[in-house]
Amino acid sequence: MNTIKKNLGFIWILLAIVAIGLLLQSAFTHIKPNGKLDINKPMPWMIIIIVFIPIAVGLGLFGWYALKGEYDRKES
C-alpha cells in the first residue's frame, strides 16, 4: 500500500504541472485584445489563474509528501 501511495504521489505532481500548463496555454490562446466574448477578455482569465494556481500547488505538495512517505502507515 505504501508503494501505491508513493507512485500516486508522482502522478499528483505530474497532474499539477500539466494542469497549470494547460491553464496558461488556454489563457494565452483565448485572450484577444478585440474579442467580443467573455472568454476573450483577460479579466476572467486572471481571476481563474489566481484561484487555480494555489490549488494546483497544493496538489503538487500533496504529491510531494506522498512521494516522500509522509503518509506511510507506521508499524507499532
Side-chain angles (χ1 to χ4, degrees):
M1 190 66 168
N2 291 337
T3 306
I4 294 171
K5 289 179 189 176
K6 289 183 181 183
N7 290 336
L8 284 175
F10 182 70
I11 292 171
W12 296 134
I13 293 171
L14 285 178
L15 182 65
I17 293 169
V18 168
I20 290 172
L22 287 174
L23 177 71
L24 292 176
Q25 178 194 11
S26 295
F28 289 132
T29 302
H30 287 104
I31 293 176
K32 296 182 177 118
N34 296 329
K36 303 280 186 213
L37 301 174
D38 283 340
I39 197 167
N40 299 121
K41 297 178 183 174
M43 185 55 76
W45 281 105
M46 289 183 353
I47 293 169
I48 292 169
I49 289 171
I50 288 171
V51 169
F52 184 74
I53 294 278
I55 294 170
V57 169
L59 180 65
L61 281 174
F62 179 73
W64 177 256
Y65 286 137
L67 190 63
K68 291 297 179 186
E70 294 291 324
Y71 301 119
D72 290 349
R73 184 172 290 235
K74 307 291 188 225
E75 299 297 327
S76 48

